[in-house]
Amino acid sequence: CCSGSHLLVLIERSLPSLLGAEEVRLSNQTIWSLTVCNLPSQANHTEHHEGRHYSIPLEEVKAVFPHGLPYRFQQQVKTFNEACLMVRKPALELFTYLKNSNFAHPAVRYVIYGERGTGKTMTLCHVVHYCARQGWLVLHIPDAHLWVKNCKELMQSSYKKERLDQPLQASSWLKNFKTSNEHFLKEIKTQQKYVWGKRESTEQGRPLGEVVEQGLARVRSASDAVGVVLKEIKQQCHLGSFRVLVAVDGVNALWGRTTLKKEDKSPVSPEELTLVYNLRKMMMNNWNGGAIVTTLSQTGSLFKPSSAYLPHELLGKEGFDALDPFVPVLVPNYSQREFESCYHYYLHRKWLQHEQARTEAGKEELRFLSGSNPQQLERLAGPL
Amino acid sequence: MRPPSACSARGCAHQRPSAAPLTPPRPSRSALAQRRAAPSLPALIATHRAGAAPALPANRGRRAFLGPCGAEPGAAVMAAAMRRLLRAGGRRGAALVVAAGGARSQTLRLIYTTTAAWKKNVAASGPEKYTEAFIKKQIEEFNLGKRHLANMMGEDPETFTQEDIDRAIAYLFPSGLFDKRARPMMKHPTEIFPEQRKIQWGEDGRPFHFLFYTGKQSYYSLMHDTYEKLLNVQKHQDQMAAQDLPPQKEKKNLVGSRWLTKTELEEMLLEKLSDDDYSRFIQLLQKLVTSPCGNIEENYIKKFSREISAQLQKVVIEPLKHDDRGVAFSTGEGERKTSRATVIVYDNGTGKITVNGIDVLHYFPVLQDREQLLFPFQFLDRVGKHDMVCTVSGGGRSSQAGAIRLASAKALRSFVTEKEVEFMRQAGLLTVDPRVKERKKPGQEGARRKFTWKKR
C-alpha cells in the first residue's frame, strides 16, 4: 500500500500544526491511525515514525528476547497479548550510527544513559531487535548487576586459582543465549581444543553449540564455557561472515563493587569473577566487525546514590577509563508528541478505564503527575 | 487579755476586729509559711485573679474560749475551772460557755458547738470586699510605682502612659506563658479590682434609693427612666400629629451597632440580672428606637449601644509583574507546620516545576506530594499552562508539599478573576492549615497516648 503510506506521510507532516490547534478535536480513531498505529516492524524506521509504536510478533519476542525485557514490560505483553515498542529518537540515532559504521574499524562503544525510568533498557531492546532482524549475532546480557550481587554459589575457578565462578548465572545465560542465537551456534567452529575436566574436552573445529551444551550439562564449568564462547566470537567476528552486537545492560556493574564475600568474609572485587573478567575483555575495542551498545543503570547498582545518572558518576574512574572513547546517547523523558502517543496507545488498548482519564483534563493531570517520565506514567496508568 | 465578743453568732453591722483569743495562739505551720512568703514588694504587681488584699495569717484549730462578758470575780474562778476542764478535753467538741441571765446572777451555761460554727465560712462571705480607703491607697501606690518605673526606665515620669508601663513590665519581667492574662501586669487599680457597690443605706439603716426594697434597684430605676423617655417620645409624636407635621424620617442606622450584652449591662448596673429582665430591657429600647420620633432620645440610646467594627479586611491581591523576557509572573508565600515556601509562578509555561533547583520528580518522588502540587492548577483548569520556581525549607516532605501548595494558590490569585478567588477560598486552597504538633503532657507518653495501664 504505497499510496497509503504516502498519504500517511503527508498527513504526518501536517500533524504538528494539527496538534498545536486546540480546537481541532480529532476522533480517537484518527489519532490512533496517525500517531500511534502499529507499524510493521520493518528495518527502516525513520524520523517520520518517531513517536509511534510498532509491534513485534510474539514468537519473535520469545526468540529474540528470552531474557532482557524489563519485567513490567513482560507483564504488559502478557496482558495486551502483543509487544509494542515506541520508536524514539535515541534508538533512531543508534540505527543511523550502526548503519553508517565501518566494520573494518575497531568496534565503537555506545553508552545509553539517562535518569531513572526514561527508557534506556527499552531502547537497548529496540536496538537488539533491529540487529537481530538484520541477522547479527547478539550477545545480550540482560543485567550485569545480577552477576555481582545475590550469588548463592561461588566456586573457586578450576582454570585460574584466584578467580571465582558463578555456575547458576552462567548456566542461565548460556540457556538464553542458545535460544536466541540457534543458527549461529552451528556455524561458528572452535579454533582450539578446550579441556573441561579429566574426561571432557572439546576438539578443535567443533561447532560452538557443543561448548554451550557442555556448559549446560556440567554446571561446574559453565562460567568457563561462557568465557570460551566470548573468546571464540571475538576471534572470529573480524572475518566478516557475521556481525556481532554486544548488548550489555547495567554496564556500570562491571567496574563497581560487589556485595559478594569470599569464605573468609573478605569482599570480592569484580575482576575476581570469571564472568565479569571475560565480559570486560569483550568490552574492549580491540576487535572489529561489530558494535558494543551498553546501558548505564542506577536501579540495580550497588553503593551508588539514587541521583547519579551521568556516565562518570556511575562508571567511576576505572570504568570510565576502560570505556573511554565511547559515544554517549542520552535518553530523555517523553516529549509532547511521545507522551500523546503513549497516552493514546493506552487508550486504544482500553487500559485507561477511568472516565476522567479519557478527558483532556485527565491527560493534563497524567502529564503533570508523571512529569512525562515513561516509568511514572506506566505506574500511574496501572490502577486507572 | 480581751475576750472575744460573745455575739459572733448573730450578725452585727460593725466589723469585728481581728479576734484575739485568750491564749496566745500557737502559730501553725501554714501561718509561718504564709508569713515567710508574704511579698516584700508592695502589692502593686499582681496577677489578675488575686487582686490580693494583704493576707491574714489563718490560725488553725484556734480554740475559742469564751468567758462571760463582764464576769464577776466569783464567776471568774468558775470560769478558770471551766477553762481547765476544756483544755483537758478534746479539740473537737469545744464548748462554749456563755453567760446567761441578768447582771446579778451570772449562771454559766454550756453550749456545745462544732468547729464549723466558729470557723470562718469563706465561701458564704461572697467575693472579697474592698473598702474605699483600701482602693484609694492602692491608687496612690500605683501612681507612685508608676513614677518609680518611669525613673527606672529612664523616661519622663510626667508623660508615662499605660502603654509605656506595659512595655516596661514586659521588659523587666519577661514571661513565656501563653495566656496574656497570666503574665505580670501593672494596671490602674480600677481595672484590677472590680467595682463594688457602696453601702446602700445610711446610718439610721434607711436605704437611699426609693426602689431599694425591690431587690434590683438599678435595674428597675433603669426601666423606669427608659419608659419615661418612651412616654416623652410618644407625647412628642402626638404633638407633631396634632400640628399635622410629617414625622421626622431620619432614622438612625442600626446596622453597624449592637445593643449591650447581658454581662456588659450587669457591669454597668453592678447587680445581677436574669435573662428575662435583660430581654425586657432590650425590647423596650427597640421600641424606643423604632418609634417615629425616637431621634430625640438619641443621646440616651447611645449609652446602650456599641459599634461593631468592620472585621472583614479585604485582602489585597497584587497585580501581575513582568520580568525581563516580558513573561508575566507573580509570587506567593505559604507555610504548613514548620515549612516555609516561596513560589514564583510564570505565565506561558509548560508545567515545568523546579523546587530548590531540583526537578519536581526528583524532589518529590512520592505521588501524594505531587498531587498536592497539582491541586491548585487543576482546580483552576490551568494544569500545563504555568511554570513554577519554588524555594522551600523546614518540615518534612508532606508539610513542604502543603506549603508549596498554599504558596502557589496565593500566587495564582493574581492570574485569576475574583469569583475564582472566592471559589479557591471556599475550596480551602487559601487557608493556612492551623494543625501543628500537639504538646506532650507530663504523666502521659505522648500528646494523647497514656502509659500502659497495669492492673497491679
Side-chain angles (χ1 to χ4, degrees), chain A residues 115-116 306-307 333 336 361 364-365 367-373 376 380, chain B residues 350-351 353 359-362 365 367 370-371 373-374 377-378 381 383-384:
Chain A
E115 299 193 349
R116 197 185 335 187
S306 61
S307 53
N333 281 328
Q336 287 269 43
E364 291 305 312
E365 192 182 328
R367 195 200 299 270
F368 186 100
L369 287 177
S370 65
S372 296
N373 183 291
Q376 291 293 324
L380 270 179
Chain B
T350 48
I353 300 185
D359 186 46
V360 70
L361 265 185
H362 290 273
L367 179 68
R370 275 174 280 147
E371 277 177 351
L373 298 198
L374 172 71
F377 296 101
Q378 195 183 38
D381 282 325
V383 177

Side-chain angles (χ1 to χ4, degrees), chain B residues 314-315 317 413 415-425 430:
Chain B
K314 217 144 185 206
V315 183
I317 303 177
R413 281 183 307 190
F415 287 96
V416 140
T417 57
E418 277 201 23
K419 217 176 173 184
E420 294 202 298
V421 171
E422 179 58 25
F423 287 152
M424 276 216 286
R425 189 192 66 86
L430 298 175

Side-chain angles (χ1 to χ4, degrees), chain A residues 208-219:
Chain A
L208 211 55
E210 277 196 23
V211 176
V212 175
E213 293 299 327
Q214 173 67 36
L216 284 173
R218 308 305 305 282
V219 185

Side-chain angles (χ1 to χ4, degrees), chain B residues 121-375:
Chain B
N121 189 351
V122 178
S125 52
E128 289 190 59
K129 299 189 178 39
Y130 310 112
T131 51
E132 271 199 51
F134 172 74
I135 298 285
K136 248 196 218 160
K137 187 164 147 265
Q138 294 294 317
I139 294 177
E140 280 168 22
E141 281 184 358
F142 172 77
N143 287 326
L144 207 56
K146 199 166 99 172
R147 298 184 74 90
H148 278 306
L149 190 61
N151 278 331
M152 263 196 269
M153 299 301 287
E155 308 239 359
D156 181 18
E158 303 298 332
T159 55
F160 206 57
T161 58
Q162 184 59 42
E163 283 147 14
D164 297 328
I165 297 178
D166 292 333
R167 252 186 289 123
I169 293 293
Y171 171 70
L172 291 170
F173 301 97
S175 158
L177 297 173
F178 290 131
D179 198 347
K180 305 280 187 237
R181 294 172 298 177
R183 295 182 180 180
M185 67 167 88
M186 181 168 158
K187 297 225 186 297
H188 199 267
T190 42
E191 290 173 45
I192 297 185
F193 300 108
E195 265 188 69
Q196 285 172 343
R197 283 166 111 184
K198 310 184 186 92
I199 305 278
Q200 306 285 314
W201 51 88
E203 284 267 331
D204 51 351
R206 201 157 167 266
F208 298 127
H209 203 279
F210 72 104
L211 289 173
F212 176 78
Y213 287 108
T214 57
K216 304 182 252 187
Q217 62 178 46
S218 330
Y219 169 71
Y220 283 113
S221 77
L222 181 72
M223 289 294 276
H224 186 76
D225 291 333
T226 315
Y227 193 66
E228 194 186 327
K229 305 282 183 212
L230 185 66
L231 287 175
N232 265 349
V233 160
Q234 282 172 354
K235 199 169 81 182
H236 189 258
Q237 202 179 333
D238 291 336
Q239 280 173 358
M240 302 290 266
Q243 292 167 18
D244 286 327
L245 285 173
Q248 292 165 7
K249 292 222 172 134
E250 303 156 23
K251 284 283 178 190
K252 184 172 163 215
N253 192 10
L254 284 175
V255 172
S257 60
R258 61 167 177 95
W259 295 121
L260 286 189
T261 57
K262 183 161 166 273
T263 358
E264 283 171 350
L265 192 60
E266 279 179 355
E267 274 172 45
M268 204 163 116
L269 300 177
L270 287 179
E271 66 182 17
K272 291 268 179 219
L273 295 176
S274 76
D275 289 333
D276 205 33
D277 295 336
Y278 172 72
S279 58
R280 287 194 72 132
F281 175 62
I282 297 294
Q283 277 167 19
L284 196 58
L285 278 178
Q286 279 293 124
K287 197 167 171 190
L288 188 57
V289 161
T290 47
S291 57
C293 304
N295 306 318
I296 309 169
E297 308 298 345
E298 254 189 72
N299 290 337
Y300 183 74
I301 292 167
K302 265 191 199 150
K303 284 190 234 166
F304 301 108
S305 66
R306 297 272 180 273
E307 289 274 323
I308 311 177
S309 58
Q311 282 181 358
L312 294 169
Q313 286 165 351
K314 217 144 185 206
V315 183
V316 176
I317 303 177
E318 286 183 11
L320 286 177
K321 287 168 267 192
H322 293 262
D323 71 347
D324 311 330
R325 293 170 296 156
V327 177
F329 71 94
S330 95
T331 42
E333 283 178 3
E335 63 209 16
R336 168 94 213 272
K337 274 192 185 180
T338 31
S339 311
R340 303 287 178 265
T342 34
V343 143
I344 313 173
V345 175
Y346 293 95
D347 207 354
N348 295 342
T350 48
K352 204 167 80 112
I353 300 185
T354 311
V355 182
N356 286 354
I358 305 174
D359 186 46
V360 70
L361 265 185
H362 290 273
Y363 197 84
F364 290 124
V366 180
L367 179 68
Q368 173 193 342
D369 302 333
R370 275 174 280 147
E371 277 177 351
Q372 289 290 299
L373 298 198
L374 172 71
F375 183 22

